[in-house]
Amino acid sequence: MKKILHSQKVAPYVFILPFVLVFLIFWLYPLLSSAGMSFQKVTLGQDAAWIGMNNYEKLLGDKIFGKAVMNSIVYMLLTLIVLIPGPMILAVLINSKYMTFKGFFKSSFFFPALTSVVVAGTIFRLMFGEMESSLINTILSWFDIEPMKFLKGQTTGFIALLTLAAWRWTGVNMLYFLAGLNNISDDYYEAASIDGASKFQKFMLITVPLLKPTSIYVITISIYAGLAMFVESLMLWNGNNSPKNIGLTIVGYLYRQGIEKNDLGYAAAVGIVLLAVTMIINLSQLTLSGMFKKGD
């Protein structure tokens, strides 16, 4: 056995075996099982029945599912707008040689990510409550603005969701960009200074292009996180039934069908569609960004 483990041919396979097992057991097997369930009528306590494409045909005419898909895509796009350029600029500012207390600012921005999403969602629900004494309405009253029912409107509800997302994830993305900035040599900036480039020109012509690998990574995980968002909405509206489904997401709809309504086959079809949407969007942006181009 010892001789086999020390073999140069066998050793690489031994090292990758844990990953292969985890991939097969916790990713591939559940995926294949869900794909099979999506073609069946599956409810707890009853035998599964094959129904072919009925679940997917039902999805096509399901207006609530369409609402959930639209909510998830809009939320994902808005988080990209907020959580890509903002953290990048913050990273550049903190990385500046003129910035003091860098460690304090890094930890301060990262701290919200350590907070439980359940706790954060509850706090933000109280902050955006419709009572005059809620934090946001109190601030609005300082400017003679009438109290608003943020969590009962589509636009204002998304404002609350985006505020929560920005509070939780700005620091995480900022640290990714800080790591990317550390890989950029100061020689580029010194050469640009000799040529008379302004700080803005350095940022646009050096920092942004050289941060492309980091940006692509952050965009990729942000797309997934945006489309998979569920707990934030659940806690913000104190349940999975927001007014007129303004906070319903694809995962929320999957939970409603699979857990609340005990229709596991239909929920599996929702999950497969979510996977397909996520893969299409991410593969498209990776292709457009040139990640799949062969090196010269």
Side-chain angles (χ1 to χ4, degrees):
M1 184 67 179
K2 186 176 180 181
K3 183 178 180 180
I4 295 176
L5 293 177
H6 284 80
S7 170
Q8 292 184 355
K9 293 182 178 180
V10 177
Y13 296 100
V14 174
F15 284 119
I16 67 170
L17 182 62
F19 167 77
V20 173
L21 291 176
V22 170
F23 175 79
L24 293 175
I25 297 172
F26 295 103
W27 197 89
L28 187 60
Y29 174 72
L31 175 61
L32 295 177
S33 297
S34 297
M37 287 174 59
S38 68
F39 296 101
Q40 298 174 323
K41 176 69 176 178
V42 183
T43 55
L44 292 177
Q46 298 182 10
D47 293 334
W50 183 267
I51 58 174
M53 297 294 294
N54 286 9
N55 285 327
Y56 292 99
E57 291 173 359
K58 183 180 176 181
L59 279 177
L60 291 176
D62 193 333
K63 293 183 179 180
I64 299 179
F65 174 68
K67 175 75 170 178
V69 172
M70 184 58 64
N71 285 344
S72 293
I73 291 177
V74 170
Y75 174 81
M76 179 266 295
L77 292 174
L78 291 175
T79 53
L80 291 180
I81 294 172
V82 173
L83 292 175
I84 302 299
M88 181 187 293
I89 293 172
L90 285 173
V92 172
L93 292 175
I94 291 178
N95 196 58
S96 171
K97 61 182 179 181
Y98 302 106
M99 177 63 69
T100 57
F101 304 109
K102 293 183 179 182
F104 169 77
F105 285 108
K106 290 178 183 178
S107 58
S108 297
F109 279 107
F110 185 75
F111 179 77
L114 303 178
T115 307
S116 166
V117 66
V118 174
V119 174
T122 302
I123 293 173
F124 272 76
R125 182 174 71 246
L126 298 175
M127 287 173 52
F128 285 91
E130 58 187 71
M131 296 183 297
E132 294 184 12
S133 58
S134 66
L135 177 61
I136 303 301
N137 278 331
T138 299
I139 294 175
L140 292 178
S141 67
W142 299 344
F143 301 94
D144 294 325
I145 300 176
E146 293 293 323
M148 299 178 63
K149 298 180 179 180
F150 282 92
L151 301 181
K152 290 188 176 180
Q154 184 76 62
T155 302
T156 53
F158 266 91
I159 291 175
L161 270 176
L162 283 173
T163 304
L164 173 56
W167 179 78
R168 277 181 59 79
W169 301 117
T170 294
V172 176
N173 287 355
M174 183 190 73
L175 290 181
Y176 286 134
F177 284 118
L178 278 171
L181 288 172
N182 290 332
N183 292 323
I184 301 177
S185 174
D186 291 335
D187 294 341
Y188 294 109
Y189 297 104
E190 293 173 1
S193 297
I194 294 174
D195 291 337
S198 64
K199 292 182 178 179
F200 179 75
Q201 289 174 321
K202 293 178 185 177
F203 175 75
M204 294 301 298
L205 300 177
I206 299 176
T207 305
V208 173
L210 294 181
L211 277 179
K212 181 180 177 180
T214 305
S215 300
I216 292 173
Y217 173 75
V218 174
I219 291 172
T220 302
I221 62 173
S222 296
I223 289 174
Y224 165 77
L227 292 175
M229 187 272 291
F230 169 57
V231 181
E232 289 88 342
S233 175
L234 184 74
M235 298 310 303
L236 201 59
W237 276 278
N238 197 25
N240 199 29
N241 294 293
S242 54
K244 297 181 180 180
N245 294 310
I246 58 176
L248 182 65
T249 64
I250 302 178
V251 179
Y253 191 67
L254 186 156
Y255 179 87
R256 177 183 295 179
Q257 296 298 324
I259 305 301
E260 297 176 356
K261 295 186 177 181
N262 192 26
D263 192 348
L264 299 178
Y266 192 55
V270 174
I272 295 299
V273 171
L274 171 59
L275 175 63
V277 171
T278 305
M279 292 293 291
I280 290 172
I281 294 176
N282 257 326
L283 290 175
S284 297
Q285 71 91 10
L286 289 173
T287 302
L288 292 173
S289 63
M291 287 298 291
F292 295 138
K293 290 181 180 179
K294 294 183 179 180
D296 295 332

